[in-house]
Each structure stands twice: as structure tokens, then as C-alpha cells.
Amino acid sequence: MAEHEGRRRPAALDGEPNDPARARERRVEGERELWRRQPRVERALHDPRVRREQAGGRRIVVRVQRAAPGADDRGGRGRGRSGDHRCELYVYASTVDFELAPQQREIQELAREFAAREIEPNAAEWDREHRFPRDVFARLAELGLMGTCIPEEYGGAGADFLSYILVLEELSRADAGVGVTVAVHTSAVTLPLLAFGTDEQRSRFVPPLARGEHLGAFALTEAEAGSDAGALRTRAEPDGDGWRITGAKQWITNGRYAGTFLLFARTDQETPGARGVSAFVLDADHVSVTRDEEKLGLNSSTTNDIVVEGALVGRDRLLGEEGHGFRIAMATLDGGRIGIAAQAVGIAQAAYDVAREYAKERHAFGRPISEFQAIQHKLANMATEIDAARLLTYRAATLRERGEPHTEAGAKAKLFASEMARRQTGEAIQILGGYGYTKEFPVERYYRDAKITEIYEGTSEIQRLVIARSILGLQEPRVAARRA
Ligand code: CAA
């Protein structure tokens, strides 16, 4: 799935090593503009003036603008003049490319090995004891995986967004609680700080998060503001040169262990709803944790009620413009939902792995149960739906990486992947029968963990609303990507 790379000039043509850190730097505005100015790839490929070459698995299109009739197309390297002809060399990714780039595979492998060695063997115990595995995040930080897609200059690993999604999938396959901790930390806190922060805010707040020195928490939800997030009541009232913030938030992932909170509060008390909300960056000192939530699953993650009691913050703590906080929250969730889709894919994959092995081993009526059509159909459905969810998720991640609108694609990925994960973890239990219902096998944990993916970062009902608005053109298209 090197699709996201393809619309850029390949590193080889620029004479640069093709490493993910450089890849981010190369995605400059100009290149995107260049792509947009060109005819659509389908047209170009049928254009007789266009010569195709294959280079390193990528399709190269050389567009030759003839300077004089009869001139032949000798092509060229990069843009510029070649003999009499102005030659422009573009790389069109095949619109669909299902191969991961070598660097993405490397990161995926790194996360997979770490998860298999350090997370998966402990996941049942953490679940049983409701233990938040703090050490794991320190070790993930050493590998750069607490800031996978954060540029190196800000303390991250400098990989692309899809690499980060691959990491979330692998972590969640081992333990979905670890997956959500990293997801909220990265896409709900570090990335919006990077996207909406001033230079000063970026260099102050992002590196400690990207290096995993402390965790981030996203504080939007309140007792009476869940799906209707715009109904939030936490107040930020002018005080001196800043604000005094007071309010209570609930279901805050990472709340107990977070060092940085991205918190949403109403700065305009006269305006109800989404407008009049602003985003603030708070420290752990500004926040008190009042409760640990007991949950159906995700027991290795922490979910808390928090209160902020008259915390005085200066203007340096306002993220983005005053009154634009809701848009920041929505743009953040556009990307965050892709992470939850990846989490759901990881959980479902884990359930499928167990069910498939079990079906081959378990005998009934003198045969392995995998020889019965009833079981074969279940496994076939699982494999197919996991594939479909994964493709939706990678597509949304690719769009986001390219800086293209991804609100609808992310909502579709989350909607399908989460419902698929709930359905298919249930099927995994069914294949294991009585064993599946016990703690002897992990599938009951996967089933409990999968359920939340249909709820947080926007319920399935909200995803359908977002998709419907988009496909029916009920709102202007959200170009969240430009801001995220
Ligand atoms: N990107 C940028 N801006 C956006 C946007 C987007 N995707 N969607 C909406 N906006 C902007 C709108 O342009 C509008 O801006 P203006 O006021 O300047 O015009 C503003 O946001 C309000 O938009 P809407 O009128 O669409 O707002 P709404 O009140 O109708 O609500 C909603 C829309 C989609 C229902 C939204 O409230 C929503 O997504 N709700 C679900 C909340 C949610 O997902 N919570 C998750 C909590 S965090 C979590 O779960 C983390 C965890 O622990 C894992």
C-alpha cells in the first residue's frame, strides 16, 4: 500500500534515500498542487502523447509537450527541458496499490514483534487485574512508537500516518487497552498540538509527548455531552490575560496517567452549541482525577472522571483561535477514528487467529471441526470482513497522509471495522463453543474489548450521521485534513 507515496515524486528520482522521515518532508504543498494541476491519471494514460514506463513497481508517466511538430519524446528526468521538448515527469501511483512500502513493513514488523514478546503474553493478566502497564509505554517510547508519525524534529519517529495505523493494529491485536492508550495519546493529543499549535506550543508540548515522557489525554466528553459534544458546559471565563477554567469531564482515556490534557471548554457563555468552544492545553497539575471507571473490557487502559477547579491559564494555553475549539475537536476525531478502526481490525484479527487454529485442532465426530462447512463458512466470513475493514482503514489513513479530505472515509472505516469486530469476535467464541466463553482462551476478552470500538470516538450512529451528511451533501465538505 504505497499508494500515498505514489503521488509524490519517488525518492529515487530526487536522489534521496527513501526513508519515511524524509518522505514527510518531501510532501510539500507545491507537489500537491502539481498533482492537482495535472489531468486525471485515467485520461493521461490514454493520451497518445503520454509515454509510460515502469520503474521500481511505480508507474511513471512522462508527459511530453512538443515544442515542434514531429519532435519525438525522449523523456527526461524531473521537470525541465530535454532537447526541443519540455518534458515533465510525473509519478502517478497506480490508484490502488496494495503493497506496503519497505519502511512501513519494517515498522509493522517492529510493532508485531514487540507486541508478541512484551504485550500478548501478559494481556490476560492485565485484563484480570485491571492493570495499566506503565512500563510498556516506556519501552514503546524507546522504540519511537509513542510518536510514530510525529516528525523527528519534534521527537517522533518521523514515519507516515499509515505506519502509525499499522502500529495501532499490531498493538491492539495483542492488547486493545494498550492500543487505545497509544491511539488517544498520539492522534487525539500529539497530532492536534502539532497541527494547530503555534511554533512555541509545538516545541514546548509536542516533544515530551512524542518521546513518550508523558501521556496525553483528550478531554471533550461530559456527563451531558457525549454524542452531542457541542453541549459541553465546562467554562473558561476571562481572568486577567487568560482564562479561569472550571468543569467536569468523564470517560477520559489516560486521565490518571496523563501529563498533558487537550481540554475543551466554553469561552463564550452566551452562545450555546458548538460555537463558543475553545481548546486548551492543560498540565496534570491543572486537573484532578476523581474516579476510575469500571468497564466491560479494555481493562489494561485507564478511563477516568476528571475535574478542573478554577485552573488559571494564560493565552499560551489556548490552542488555535478562540471559539474554534469544536472544529479542532472534530478535525482531531476525523483522524482518531481511523485509529479506532485499526484497533478494531487488530482485535478481530486476533480472534480470527485463535479461531482458525482451534478449528484445525479440535475434533468432533471423528474429524477436525475445520472440515465442517458450518465452521468453514464462519472462518471465510471472518477473513473476508477483516480484509474489507483493513482496506477501508488503510485507505482512510492514506487519504489523511496525502492531506486530502478523510472525514467520510474515516467514518466509514470506523463504522465497518467496529461492527465487524463485534460480530466476528462473537463468531470466534461460537467456533470455540464452551471454551470460547471461558477465560481459558482469549476470545471472550476480544469480544468484550471489541464492543467499545462501536462507541468511543463517535458511536456507530454518529458515524452514519457523518457519512450521510457527506454523501447527501448536507454540509459543505469538511477539509479537515488541511488542518489536521
Ligand atoms: N472538521 C472540521 N470542522 C468540523 C467538522 C470536521 N470534520 N465537522 C464539523 N465541523 C465544524 C463545523 O464546520 C461547524 O463549524 P462552524 O460553527 O464554524 O460552522 C462546527 O464544527 C459544528 O459542526 P456541526 O454543526 O456539524 O456540529 P453538530 O453539533 O451538528 O455535531 C457531530 C456534529 C458530528 C454530531 C459531533 O458532535 C460529533 O462528532 N459527535 C461525536 C463526539 C465524539 O466523537 N466524541 C468522542 C469523544 S473522544 C473519545 O472517545 C476518545 C477516547 O476515549 C477513545
Side-chain angles (χ1 to χ4, degrees):
M1 190 79 175
E3 186 183 5
H4 69 291
E5 281 196 4
R7 287 185 179 184
R8 306 174 204 148
R9 296 155 63 83
L13 294 174
D14 291 332
E16 293 172 7
N18 193 10
D19 68 298
R22 304 295 295 272
R24 283 184 77 79
E25 289 165 27
R26 283 199 304 275
R27 188 170 60 75
V28 291
E29 205 56 36
E31 288 190 67
R32 219 154 63 214
E33 302 248 329
L34 186 70
W35 161 257
R36 294 230 168 84
R37 280 205 308 274
Q38 299 315 309
R40 286 178 57 77
V41 62
E42 295 83 355
R43 239 172 47 212
L45 292 175
H46 293 101
D47 185 331
R49 293 168 304 161
V50 168
R51 178 159 65 78
R52 284 188 232 168
E53 293 172 1
Q54 292 291 328
R58 292 186 176 90
R59 182 178 293 139
I60 310 291
V61 177
V62 182
R63 171 166 283 278
V64 181
Q65 295 181 348
R66 291 166 198 265
D72 69 13
D73 56 342
R74 272 173 255 153
R77 185 184 156 98
R79 298 181 77 194
R81 299 191 72 82
S82 166
D84 290 328
H85 330 103
R86 269 199 320 126
C87 298
E88 291 177 306
L89 186 66
Y90 302 108
V91 179
Y92 294 99
S94 2
T95 2
V96 183
D97 181 347
F98 298 102
E99 285 292 308
L100 291 174
Q103 297 79 10
Q104 291 164 337
R105 278 202 302 273
E106 245 173 63
I107 291 180
Q108 182 186 44
E109 199 53 40
L110 177 74
R112 185 174 293 167
E113 277 172 16
F114 179 84
R117 199 180 56 243
E118 311 255 345
I119 301 177
E120 206 279 329
N122 302 306
E125 188 182 328
W126 297 337
D127 173 55
R128 204 167 41 245
E129 297 179 1
H130 293 217
R131 189 177 333 144
F132 182 76
R134 287 187 83 163
D135 297 354
V136 165
F137 302 104
R139 293 204 291 285
L140 282 170
E142 284 166 17
L143 298 176
L145 299 182
M146 295 304 284
T148 306
C149 56
I150 308 300
E152 283 171 300
E153 62 182 300
Y154 290 105
D160 65 353
F161 191 76
L162 179 55
S163 299
Y164 159 66
I165 288 301
L166 297 170
V167 169
L168 284 187
E169 185 184 327
E170 293 303 327
L171 297 179
S172 303
R173 188 172 169 185
D175 184 323
V178 172
V180 73
T181 304
V182 175
V184 168
H185 167 82
T186 310
S187 32
V189 185
T190 318
L191 282 174
L193 286 174
L194 193 64
F196 299 101
T198 59
D199 287 347
E200 190 274 329
Q201 287 173 325
R202 274 193 215 128
S203 41
R204 183 163 148 214
F205 298 120
V206 174
L209 289 163
R211 291 194 295 258
E213 288 160 16
H214 57 235
L215 282 175
F218 181 81
L220 175 69
T221 304
E222 299 180 2
E224 289 176 51
S227 288
D228 185 8
L232 65 86
R233 282 159 52 176
T234 294
R235 299 162 76 91
E237 289 167 307
D239 193 321
D241 194 28
W243 293 267
R244 191 171 285 282
I245 303 179
T246 306
K249 300 280 181 182
Q250 74 178 30
W251 302 334
I252 307 305
T253 303
N254 296 346
R256 181 164 290 288
Y257 299 103
T260 300
F261 290 76
L262 177 53
L263 180 135
F264 298 85
R266 190 169 297 286
T267 37
D268 179 354
Q269 314 306 326
E270 308 306 316
T271 309
R275 293 204 169 140
V277 171
S278 300
F280 293 93
V281 189
L282 300 191
D283 295 332
D285 293 348
H286 295 121
V287 171
S288 306
V289 175
T290 50
R291 201 166 73 96
D292 293 294
E293 197 66 67
E294 273 202 59
K295 311 184 291 276
L296 175 68
L298 282 194
N299 290 331
S300 63
S301 72
T302 177
T303 311
N304 305 103
D305 285 3
I306 61 168
V307 295
V308 183
E309 292 171 295
L312 192 58
V313 296
R315 299 204 73 82
D316 60 323
R317 296 292 180 147
L318 176 72
L319 186 71
E321 284 177 49
E322 186 174 339
H324 285 194
F326 195 77
R327 292 193 209 159
I328 292 179
M330 291 298 109
T332 298
L333 289 167
D334 281 342
R337 287 167 183 164
I338 308 171
I340 301 306
Q343 183 193 30
V345 171
I347 299 169
Q349 180 68 49
Y352 167 75
D353 293 342
V354 174
R356 183 172 167 278
E357 286 315 300
Y358 182 88
K360 289 197 293 186
E361 296 290 320
R362 171 76 175 171
H363 282 64
F365 307 102
R367 286 194 279 167
I369 61 168
S370 60
E371 289 185 13
F372 294 110
Q373 197 178 44
I375 302 296
Q376 289 172 354
H377 282 190
K378 283 190 197 303
L379 289 170
N381 288 343
M382 286 174 99
T384 307
E385 290 203 7
I386 292 169
D387 251 6
R390 183 173 283 126
L391 289 171
L392 282 173
T393 305
Y394 291 5
R395 180 188 67 168
T398 302
L399 290 173
R400 191 196 180 284
E401 173 64 22
R402 283 184 188 158
E404 295 192 23
H406 54 271
T407 304
E408 181 190 320
K412 283 177 173 169
K414 180 183 183 290
L415 173 64
F416 184 77
S418 60
E419 294 192 346
M420 176 282 291
R422 190 248 310 137
R423 224 175 11 253
Q424 297 304 353
T425 51
E427 286 295 81
I429 293 181
Q430 198 66 21
I431 290 172
L432 270 73
Y435 287 111
Y437 197 67
T438 70
K439 304 254 177 209
E440 202 173 320
F441 285 86
V443 287
E444 61 81 33
R445 169 165 57 87
Y446 302 145
Y447 183 67
R448 287 185 285 112
D449 288 351
K451 180 60 200 173
I452 189 62
T453 64
E454 293 182 296
I455 298 172
Y456 60 22
E457 300 221 11
T459 59
S460 290
E461 290 72 16
I462 292 295
Q463 304 315 315
R464 287 189 168 87
L465 176 149
V466 169
I467 296 164
R469 280 179 175 183
S470 174
I471 60 179
L472 295 170
L474 296 178
Q475 280 185 320
E476 283 184 14
R478 308 290 181 201
V479 192
R482 300 229 172 92
R483 282 168 275 173

